[in-house]
Structure formats: C-alpha cells, structure tokens
C-alpha cells in the first residue's frame, strides 16, 4: 500500500494517533497532548510530548500535515498543525486496511492476586481497595465526559465527531463498572474462604483436644 511513495504500514501507530486527532481541528503540539489525555487515554495510551513533536516532524516530512506559526506576545510563536488531503487519505487507508491486533493488558493487582495464597486477607483487601480508588476515579471521569457529550448532542442530529468518541467512553464505563463488581465479589469470596478455613482449623483443634 503506497501513498506519496510512503508505505502506510511503515509509519508507527503513534503517527496515526496524531493524524487521527488532527482530523478534529488544527492544533498545536500542546493541544494534541491535551486532547490525547482527555480523549483516548481511557482506552489507549497517550503519547508523551516528545513523541508528539517527533511524529509531527515525521508527518510534515511526508506531507501529511502542514505547519504555520502564529505570533504571540511575550511567548514563543505558536506552531499549529493541520492535516493535509494526503494525510487524510493515509489516515483512511490505515483505518480500513490495517490488522486489528489483540489488546495488550497487564495488571499489577491481578499479578499479586494470582499469588494471593502468599499474603493475608488483610493485605489482599488493602490491595483491592487501592485499586478500587483508581477505578472509581476513572469511572467518574468517563461518566462526566460521556454526559458532556450527550448534552452537546441534544437538540440536533448527532455529530460523528461526538458520537463515535462517546461509544468508546460507554465501553470504558462498562469495563470499569464490571471491574468494580468483580472486585467486590473477589473480596467476598476470599472472606468466605478464610472463614471456612478458620472453622475447619477450629474443628481440627477441638477433635485433637477431645482425643487427649
């Protein structure tokens, strides 16, 4: 697949993250970082500032974005980047033809839970409660963003640039809600198991005492 003598598959995914964000509007590197943090971090990763500026230079070299400088008083001139028709074509081809890879996932909580037989119920409860704080925070953030998008869509036909991001927010909300339920259930199962173990040990102790 060739576009302007550049094979689409050879560009890193981060290039397409930046191109995709630029389809919303003309932005500076700072604006791109802000949008990435607010818009895609709940389901993907947000590129570092250094990555964003490196990819903007790469995309500009390929003719996929243009840059213009906006004079600012008491500050360095602002550089604004805009996707070109060639960049839009590359973006659309990447969306249509690249393979969907399996989602990558890692969890320090699940790793420690996997080895849960080596820690006490109290320690496990602390770990789960700590995770619940993070999930609860991220859940509230996504719910607020989703409601904001729904409010903007009221009274008019749903704009695609609001509708599709809303779908990703709804998915993240469902995942966070499911994880909260799972954590409560996991703790309850662990408590029940501990109670059964204690009762079993008590019976053994009573039986040993009666035999003496």
């Amino acid at each position: 697949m060739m576009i302007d003598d550049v094979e689409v598959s050879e560009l890193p995914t981060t290039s397409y993250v930046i191109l995709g964000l630029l389809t919303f509007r003309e932005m500076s590197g700072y604006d791109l970082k802000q949008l990435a943090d607010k818009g895609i971090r709940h389901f993907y990763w947000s590129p570092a500032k250094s990555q964003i500026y490196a990819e903007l230079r790469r995309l500009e070299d390929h003719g996929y974005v243009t840059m213009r400088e906006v004079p600012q008083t008491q500050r360095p001139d602002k550089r604004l980047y805009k996707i070109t028709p060639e960049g839009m074509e590359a973006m659309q081809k990447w969306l249509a033809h690249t393979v969907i890879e399996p989602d990558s996932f890692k969890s320090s909580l699940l790793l420690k839970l996997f080895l849960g037989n080596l820690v006490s119920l109290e320690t496990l409860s602390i770990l789960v409660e700590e995770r619940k704080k993070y999930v609860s925070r991220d859940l509230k953030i996504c719910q607020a963003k989703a409601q904001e998008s729904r409010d903007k869509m009221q009274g008019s036909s749903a704009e695609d640039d609001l509708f599709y991001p809303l779908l990703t927010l709804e998915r993240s909300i469902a995942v966070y809600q499911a994880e909260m339920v799972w954590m409560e259930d996991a703790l309850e199962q662990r408590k029940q198991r501990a109670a059964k173990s204690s009762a079993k040990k008590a019976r053994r102790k009573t039986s040993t005492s009666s035999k003496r």
Side-chain angles (χ1 to χ4, degrees), residues 69-84:
E69 292 189 348
V70 178
Q72 297 188 116
T73 57
Q74 299 181 342
R75 287 185 180 183
D77 293 347
K78 179 187 289 188
R79 294 183 175 183
L80 293 179
Y81 296 86
K82 183 178 182 180
I83 190 170
T84 64

Side-chain angles (χ1 to χ4, degrees), residues 2-212:
M2 304 291 291
I3 302 175
D4 193 24
D5 296 325
V6 176
E7 190 171 344
V8 173
S9 61
E10 289 184 350
L11 289 176
T13 302
T14 309
S15 293
Y16 295 103
V17 171
I18 303 305
L19 270 182
L21 294 176
L22 285 174
T23 63
F24 289 94
R25 64 180 184 274
E26 184 182 37
M27 282 183 275
S28 66
Y30 175 82
D31 296 331
L32 285 164
K33 177 58 178 172
Q34 293 296 107
L35 182 56
D37 285 348
K38 295 178 181 179
I40 67 174
R41 190 165 57 180
H42 66 96
F43 64 87
Y44 204 65
W45 54 270
S46 178
K49 289 182 180 179
S50 58
Q51 288 179 298
I52 290 175
Y53 287 109
E55 292 305 325
L56 284 170
R57 288 192 294 270
R58 187 203 307 269
L59 293 170
E60 190 176 8
D61 289 341
H62 290 335
Y64 290 170
V65 302
T66 57
M67 184 274 292
R68 67 184 180 93
E69 292 189 348
V70 178
Q72 297 188 116
T73 57
Q74 299 181 342
R75 287 185 180 183
D77 293 347
K78 179 187 289 188
R79 294 183 175 183
L80 293 179
Y81 296 86
K82 183 178 182 180
I83 190 170
T84 64
E86 292 80 10
M88 183 65 76
E89 182 183 358
M91 185 76 242
Q92 291 173 328
K93 287 191 176 183
W94 180 81
L95 288 170
H97 298 292
T98 52
V99 176
I100 298 296
E101 300 175 353
D103 291 346
S104 59
F105 176 77
K106 62 180 181 180
S107 167
S108 58
L109 171 63
L110 291 182
L111 179 59
K112 292 184 177 183
L113 183 60
F114 182 79
L115 302 170
N117 62 302
L118 303 177
V119 297
S120 66
L121 174 59
E122 181 182 4
T123 298
L124 185 63
S125 298
I126 292 173
L127 293 173
V128 173
E129 289 298 329
E130 183 179 356
R131 173 62 184 168
K132 283 172 65 178
K133 290 179 182 178
Y134 290 121
V135 174
S136 178
R137 178 202 62 189
D138 292 342
L139 174 59
K140 290 178 181 177
I141 291 173
C142 285
Q143 287 174 327
K145 290 179 180 177
Q147 188 57 54
E148 181 181 351
S149 294
R150 294 189 190 99
D151 292 342
K152 290 180 179 179
M153 292 166 62
Q154 285 182 354
S156 62
S157 59
E159 297 292 338
D160 286 349
D161 62 352
L162 292 174
F163 174 73
Y164 290 105
L166 176 59
L167 290 182
T168 67
L169 284 167
E170 290 176 343
R171 189 265 185 188
S172 291
I173 289 170
V175 170
Y176 290 141
Q177 289 175 333
E179 186 173 0
M180 292 292 285
V181 171
W182 170 82
M183 285 189 287
E184 292 288 350
D185 183 61
L187 276 181
E188 183 59 31
Q189 288 188 60
R190 179 65 180 87
K191 290 176 182 178
Q192 292 177 3
R193 187 173 182 83
K196 289 179 181 179
S197 178
S198 297
K200 189 175 182 179
K201 289 179 180 179
R203 287 195 300 270
R204 285 179 178 175
K205 186 175 181 179
T206 302
S207 176
T208 301
S209 299
S210 63
K211 289 179 180 179
R212 290 177 179 178

